[in-house]
């Protein structure tokens, strides 16, 4: 009965590890309790109960972030996938001992999370994101990516249960607890050393991140302007009434930021809207402002297409240099639920400037590690990340953005239309924060974050050559352990079959006596 209390306690903590209102410690404790439940309860009861628990926790965490039917589908999928690592632990872990036994659960957990990350959601909501405030621990992702941190979280659950089963006696737990403790200590010490001895140094650049005027933006949203065919006159009227006020404000504030010393100005995702037919006019105006103020200006524009069926919008980040040249015109790669956007080719652009090498992706793109890693491989120093969030997901998306920056050795500037704007250096230190859209006065017109950012990043092992290697090692290691267990079972069956053919009793060799002490009757014990 006590084991069900561990399920209840773990389930109560799970919502705080995913999306809304995250608690860093919960990401360490919840898996310990849930793994304790599955190890002390019969699988036919434990796995269905845990599936329901994970589904319910996911639904709670994603409440309000999506329509109810989509949340339900996601919760069911999370429940089914989330229980896999626990099922694998029960299948393989109980047939192993010592250090290998403690590695089954973390390898399975990382393998499942990696396979899930190749889908439409990427790494959004992964519990590793809750650890971005622990800077020494966070430095590990510059080597292993998110997967090393995810492994540590799950390994702690496995070793914690090993200790639990032995009355928290470190000597009884043996090598596995010692190896885990040494690994965790080394990660913190090396991370702390990196922070202390290799901090950001050198020159900096002043950068302004602009979100649109809230009143003008909400007026356009309230008007319910949708893509679709329209006459030239209808487009002109909608542009005059709804699009032009936001554009005028954004360009005016761009000029103000530039004259206040900003050398790079980045608009939020969807800071401006226009119809695709007139889209060139926005770019021409931006070119003129960039040339006039001698700034690098990246504008965020949503172009409404004439089609009525999704995808029917283009979400773009367009960079213009101080000479007025369009450096890139990036089309958002990912296709989040509700955006209805045409997906881009998935090529991350970069450009060299006097202020370091710049790169960009848009909002939800930052949940996809291989996509952002293109910037790390290209040696980018600053990642411009225009975004636009729902209130319920803004913190989780910001956490993933910080992870991507540290993984690839880049400062990240997250300029957000609705949600949390932030700036961090390549080691994850916060250097800017602006989250007043949902919490501030609705009449506030100036949602601007101005920061001074290091112009030099750092090449990282993850960005250069490790990539998703840790996840693949977990997949390979799990497969190897499965093969070892399978071979052992086959050998035991073969041994029993040979013994049966020879007369029904195994030969009384010392090895057999050690492996099968319960098969000995009283006369055999006496004979021995």
């Amino acid at each position: 009965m006590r084991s069900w209390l561990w399920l209840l306690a773990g389930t109560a903590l799970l919502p705080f590890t995913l999306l809304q209102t995250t608690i860093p410690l919960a990401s360490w404790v919840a898996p310990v309790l849930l793994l304790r439940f599955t190890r002390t309860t019969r699988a036919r009861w434990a796995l269905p109960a845990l599936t329901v628990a994970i589904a319910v926790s996911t639904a709670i965490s994603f409440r309000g972030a999506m329509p109810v039917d989509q949340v339900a589908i996601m919760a069911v999928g999370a429940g089914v996938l989330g229980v896999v690592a626990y099922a694998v632990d029960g299948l393989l872990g109980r047939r192993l001992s010592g250090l290998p036994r403690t590695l089954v659960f973390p390898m399975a957990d990382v393998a499942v999370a990696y396979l899930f990350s190749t889908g439409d959601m990427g790494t959004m909501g992964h519990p590793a994101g809750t650890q971005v405030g622990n800077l020494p621990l966070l430095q590990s992702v510059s080597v292993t990516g998110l997967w090393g941190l995810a492994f540590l979280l799950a390994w702690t659950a496995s070793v914690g249960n090993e200790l639990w089963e032995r009355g928290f006696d470190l000597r009884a737990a043996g090598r596995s607890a010692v190896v885990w403790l040494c690994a965790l200590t080394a990660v913190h010490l090396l991370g702390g050393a990196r922070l202390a001895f290799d901090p950001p140094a050198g020159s900096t650049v002043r950068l302004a991140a602009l979100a649109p005027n809230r009143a003008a933006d909400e007026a356009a949203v309230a008007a319910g302007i949708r893509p679709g065919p329209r006459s030239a006159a209808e487009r002109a009227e909608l542009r005059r009434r709804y699009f032009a006020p936001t554009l005028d404000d954004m360009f005016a504030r761009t000029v103000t930021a530039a004259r206040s010393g900003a050398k790079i100005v980045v608009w939020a995702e969807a800071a401006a809207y226009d119809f695709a037919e007139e889209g060139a006019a926005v770019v021409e105006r931006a070119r003129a402002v960039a040339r006039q103020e001698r700034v690098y200006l990246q504008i965020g524009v949503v172009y409404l297409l004439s089609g009525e069926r999704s995808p029917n919008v283009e979400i773009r980040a367009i960079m213009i240099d101080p000479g007025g040249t369009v450096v890139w015109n990036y089309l958002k790669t990912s296709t989040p639920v509700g955006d209805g956007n045409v997906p881009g080719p998935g090529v991350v652009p970069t450009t060299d400037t006097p202020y370091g090498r710049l790169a960009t992706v848009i909002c939800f793109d930052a949940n996809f590690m291989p996509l952002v890693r293109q910037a790390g491989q290209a040696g980018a120093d600053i990642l411009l990340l225009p975004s636009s969030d729902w209130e319920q997901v803004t913190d989780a998306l910001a956490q993933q953005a910080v992870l991507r920056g540290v993984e690839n050795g880049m400062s990240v500037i997250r300029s957000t239309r609705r949600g949390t704007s932030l700036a961090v250096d390549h080691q994850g230190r916060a250097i800017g924060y602006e989250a007043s859209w949902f919490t501030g006065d609705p009449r506030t017109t100036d949602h601007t974050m101005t920061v001074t950012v290091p112009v030099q990043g750092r090449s990282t092992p993850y960005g250069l050559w490790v990539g998703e290697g840790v996840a693949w090692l977990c997949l390979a290691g799990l497969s190897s352990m499965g093969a070892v267990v399978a071979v052992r079972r086959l050998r035991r069956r073969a041994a029993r079959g040979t013994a049966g053919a020879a007369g029904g009793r195994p030969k009384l060799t010392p090895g057999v006596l050690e492996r099968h002490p319960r098969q000995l009757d009283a006369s055999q014990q006496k004979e021995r």
Side-chain angles (χ1 to χ4, degrees), residues 459-472:
S459 296
T460 65
Y462 170 82
L464 291 179
W465 55 275
V466 173
E468 316 313 308
V470 171
W472 282 104

Side-chain angles (χ1 to χ4, degrees), residues 163-211:
L163 288 167
W164 199 334
E165 292 163 7
R166 288 162 175 75
F168 295 97
D169 185 344
L170 283 174
R171 290 174 298 179
R175 183 173 55 185
S176 57
V178 173
V179 172
W180 166 80
L181 185 59
C182 290
L184 192 61
T185 302
V187 167
H188 277 88
L189 288 176
L190 292 173
R194 183 175 191 245
L195 293 169
F197 298 114
D198 188 27
S203 57
T204 59
V205 61
R206 188 175 176 85
L207 187 150
L210 310 182

Side-chain angles (χ1 to χ4, degrees), residues 19-21 61-67 70-71 74 120-121 124-125 221 269-270 273 315 332 334-341 363-364 367 387-398 414 416-421 435 437-439:
L19 203 70
Q20 302 182 55
T21 319
S61 187
F62 277 77
R63 67 194 185 279
M66 301 175 184
Q70 294 173 352
V71 171
M74 177 175 293
D120 293 338
M121 300 297 290
M124 178 180 174
V221 171
E269 177 190 14
Y273 282 75
I315 302 176
K332 186 174 184 177
S334 59
T335 54
V337 175
D339 276 12
N341 59 298
C363 194
F364 209 78
N367 290 315
S387 302
S388 180
D389 303 337
W390 308 294
E391 183 175 7
Q392 295 84 356
V393 304
T394 187
D395 290 336
L397 292 176
R414 191 169 191 269
T416 310
R417 168 176 167 254
R418 295 169 175 249
T420 301
S421 294
W437 184 282
F438 294 116
T439 60

Side-chain angles (χ1 to χ4, degrees), residues 39 97-98 101-102 157-166 173 176:
R39 286 189 176 185
S97 62
R101 185 188 184 204
T102 68
S158 190
V159 173
N161 273 271
E162 196 82 2
L163 288 167
W164 199 334
E165 292 163 7
R166 288 162 175 75
S176 57

Side-chain angles (χ1 to χ4, degrees), residues 61-95:
S61 187
F62 277 77
R63 67 194 185 279
M66 301 175 184
V68 174
D69 58 335
Q70 294 173 352
V71 171
I73 293 171
M74 177 175 293
V76 171
V80 172
L81 287 175
V83 80
V84 170
Y86 296 88
V88 172
D89 177 79
L91 183 65
L92 299 182
R94 65 190 179 89
R95 293 178 169 87

Side-chain angles (χ1 to χ4, degrees), residues 261-314:
K263 301 301 181 184
I264 303 171
V265 179
V266 54
W267 292 8
E269 177 190 14
Y273 282 75
D274 209 339
F275 296 103
E277 292 86 347
E278 288 86 17
V282 178
V283 177
E284 288 304 311
R285 187 173 177 183
R287 292 179 62 197
V289 170
R291 188 166 48 242
Q292 170 189 311
E293 302 300 329
R294 305 300 298 172
V295 294
Y296 285 88
L297 170 59
Q298 178 169 286
I299 62 173
V301 187
V302 174
Y303 289 122
L304 306 181
L305 306 179
S306 58
E308 294 183 345
R309 293 186 177 182
S310 180
N312 50 17
V313 299
E314 293 180 348

